[in-house]
Amino acid sequence: MTRATPTPRRPRAPASASQQRLDPIGGLAVWPLAPVISAIVVTYAVVATISRVHEIALEELAVASVAVLIIAAAVLAWAARPDLAPFTRIRAIVIVALGLAAHLLAAVSTWQFNGMIQDDFAPIGLGLLLLALAPFRPWKEILVLGVCSAAVVGITALVQSPFLGIQTPPVLFAIIAMTQVLAPGLASAAYSRQVVNSIHRWQTDARRAIRARTEESRGPLAHEVVDHRLTNLGADVLPFLADVLARQELTAADIKRARSLAFQVRRVLVAEVDHTWLDDLIGRERSGLTERGLNPLCVIADPDRRATAFDSDQRAAAGAMIVALCTLKGFDPTSLIVQIDGSGAAPTDTALVTQAFGLRGALPTPATDTTTIAIVTAAQEQAAAQAHTQARAWAQLHSQTRPRRDDRAVDTITIQVVISLPPHQRRRALRPYLSVLRAVFTRVRVTSRHPLLTLEFNAERTTTKGIK
């Protein structure tokens, strides 16, 4: 009997993964859940307190309990805002701690006068706060917070059990109280785990499909690149060589013409090798602005071609932000500057950025010993080298091996633009894009000095030894 080939196991999602981090666009769609739950928590706390005035022994503590729960709900609604993404662990801990403080204050305010624990608002409000964390935090963290909160609520119920109006085993009171917190907490953790695993499986399958398709098309792509280069040479170089072969002699004018053609071919090849997705994006936006009757001057300073190291999510997020800036009302088409470097320093002078852009696009000096016969050979070698370099770069970017911490580097992306809009209109227009940036990149910083707007964010990349 032949043994069936085992199906390769899918890699598990990172423990720190959340829906907001893996799917920033989906996180935008679910963030209204937080203010809605906050409103429900506050409304229920106020109504429950008013309806149980006869059970309150210390009114000051009851009012303080409601106030603390309102603060917890306000922190939840604030922390979930898209322009403040990602939702950090500290925010989640603060929200749960405030909910527990409200529960303890409410328990003390009704000490010895509480008839039953089923109608206490604090445990239910705490459970709803845990439920609202599902799209923003990892499931293991939500589970730990839920279990810890349920334990505190259960202990409080055990201590109150001798004074409750219903005579039943104290453990039953603890179970009832813990269920009000633990059930929403478990539901929140289950939702976070299921959504994160689904997104991770989809991303893994997509990467495998892209890798397989790229491996299949790598050879034909290299031949297509070489054929494209030869086609470009056919306009000038090949007729020149045919003329030299027909005359069977090489004059000083032919040598001069060969050097000029070699210079042109080399300039085109170097320019195309240095071309990145960011150049294509800026080129499209520049063309669009020109069609609108504007005279754009969009500067890119990327001397080390670090844009090629961006993954698909980072390219989409940065590209969406640049397109949004170019389409905003009040955008100055001569002010856009995009700089990428690894030093972490933001550009302070437009002239410096322009100088870097000029150096990047400088024309190479032609060799003095170029011959006519070497033109076609050099072009073929350059084209094949370019295709091979692009294939190696793609393999480096999409490798599934886990990089070591020492192999990580940080690229700093800085975008400067002049937008003549009131600050509140600029914030409202860019809020969705900033939330995606904060989910994809690290240390996103926005500096607004009207009318100049500066965006600075970091991108982690993996440096592979042996690939230059």
Side-chain angles (χ1 to χ4, degrees):
M1 295 179 63
T2 59
R3 181 174 299 178
T5 303
T7 304
R9 297 181 60 183
R10 298 176 184 269
R12 293 183 177 181
S16 60
S18 64
Q19 180 182 359
Q20 186 186 56
R21 288 185 177 273
L22 293 180
D23 184 16
I25 303 299
L28 286 175
V30 300
W31 86 266
L33 178 68
V36 170
I37 291 181
S38 299
I40 295 175
V41 169
V42 172
T43 303
Y44 180 72
V46 174
V47 172
T49 302
I50 295 175
S51 63
R52 297 172 58 220
V53 175
H54 60 281
E55 296 181 357
I56 297 176
L58 300 174
E59 296 182 357
E60 295 81 3
L61 292 182
V63 173
S65 173
V66 175
V68 172
L69 195 59
I70 292 175
I71 294 175
V75 172
L76 172 63
W78 169 82
R81 289 171 51 187
D83 55 332
L84 298 178
F87 199 110
T88 61
R89 178 183 301 174
I90 298 299
R91 300 177 190 176
I93 294 176
V94 169
I95 292 171
V96 174
L98 290 173
L100 288 174
H103 166 68
L104 295 177
L105 290 173
V108 175
S109 67
T110 59
W111 196 259
Q112 298 185 4
F113 292 92
N114 192 7
M116 56 182 181
I117 61 175
Q118 291 90 332
D119 59 349
D120 292 348
F121 68 88
I124 297 177
L126 182 57
L128 292 176
L129 294 177
L130 289 169
L131 186 64
L133 298 179
F136 308 107
R137 296 306 305 161
W139 70 272
K140 291 184 178 179
E141 180 179 313
I142 298 175
L143 182 62
V144 171
L145 292 175
V147 171
C148 294
S149 301
V152 174
V153 173
I155 294 173
T156 306
L158 284 176
V159 176
Q160 291 185 87
S161 60
F163 309 103
L164 297 176
I166 303 176
Q167 297 299 323
T168 190
V171 178
L172 184 60
F173 287 117
I175 294 175
I176 294 174
M178 292 174 64
T179 302
Q180 300 177 21
V181 177
L182 196 58
L186 292 178
S188 178
Y191 171 86
S192 176
R193 184 175 183 271
Q194 181 63 31
V195 171
V196 167
N197 288 339
S198 299
I199 296 174
H200 186 69
R201 284 195 300 267
W202 176 83
Q203 292 178 344
T204 302
D205 293 341
R207 292 191 184 100
R208 288 176 178 173
I210 292 174
R211 187 183 306 110
R213 185 173 180 179
T214 303
E215 291 294 338
E216 294 175 357
S217 59
R218 181 173 298 174
L221 179 62
H223 291 293
E224 183 178 351
V225 171
V226 174
D227 294 339
H228 178 67
R229 298 294 181 272
L230 292 176
T231 302
N232 293 337
L233 293 176
D236 297 315
V237 178
L238 296 183
F240 168 73
L241 294 178
D243 179 66
V244 172
L245 292 176
R247 289 188 283 106
Q248 294 294 323
E249 62 178 348
L250 189 65
T251 64
D254 294 333
I255 296 176
K256 185 177 180 180
R257 175 61 175 166
R259 290 175 179 174
S260 176
L261 291 176
F263 170 74
Q264 295 177 10
V265 171
R266 187 177 179 184
R267 180 182 60 182
V268 171
L269 293 176
V270 171
E272 292 190 2
V273 167
D274 286 342
H275 209 69
T276 65
W277 65 270
L278 186 58
D279 296 307
D280 295 333
L281 175 66
I282 296 298
R284 290 194 300 268
E285 293 304 312
R286 188 184 291 115
S287 301
L289 293 172
T290 303
E291 293 176 358
R292 290 161 50 186
L294 302 176
N295 186 19
L297 177 61
C298 304
V299 179
I300 303 176
D302 186 14
D304 298 327
R305 300 178 64 248
R306 296 178 180 268
T308 57
F310 285 24
D311 58 28
S312 57
D313 293 338
Q314 293 172 341
R315 295 185 184 190
M321 173 58 73
I322 294 175
V323 173
L325 292 174
C326 294
T327 55
L328 278 181
K329 184 179 179 181
F331 166 70
D332 184 358
T334 63
S335 63
L336 180 61
I337 300 174
V338 182
Q339 179 181 359
I340 306 178
D341 58 27
S343 62
T348 56
D349 189 4
T350 304
L352 180 61
V353 178
T354 307
Q355 180 182 5
F357 175 75
L359 290 175
R360 177 184 178 280
L363 301 180
T365 303
T368 57
D369 57 346
T370 304
T371 61
T372 57
I373 305 301
I375 295 176
V376 177
T377 303
Q380 294 177 347
E381 293 176 352
Q382 289 281 1
Q386 178 186 356
H388 185 60
T389 302
Q390 291 175 347
R392 291 193 302 173
W394 189 96
Q396 174 186 354
L397 289 177
H398 297 274
S399 175
Q400 294 296 319
T401 57
R402 189 178 183 89
R404 296 177 302 175
R405 185 175 298 272
D406 296 338
D407 295 335
R408 290 189 177 275
V410 177
D411 293 335
T412 301
I413 304 95
T414 306
I415 302 175
Q416 288 185 346
V417 65
V418 172
I419 300 178
S420 301
L421 278 179
H424 69 280
Q425 293 187 13
R426 289 199 297 187
R427 288 194 298 268
R428 182 173 58 187
L430 299 179
R431 183 177 296 129
Y433 302 95
L434 289 176
S435 65
V436 176
L437 284 181
R438 289 189 170 95
V440 176
F441 296 97
T442 59
R443 205 184 68 85
V444 179
R445 186 173 62 181
V446 182
T447 305
S448 180
R449 296 179 180 178
H450 189 75
L452 180 63
L453 177 68
T454 303
L455 304 173
E456 184 179 359
F457 43 95
N458 292 342
E460 289 188 353
R461 62 181 179 85
T462 304
T463 58
T464 304
K465 296 181 180 181
I467 298 178
K468 299 182 178 179

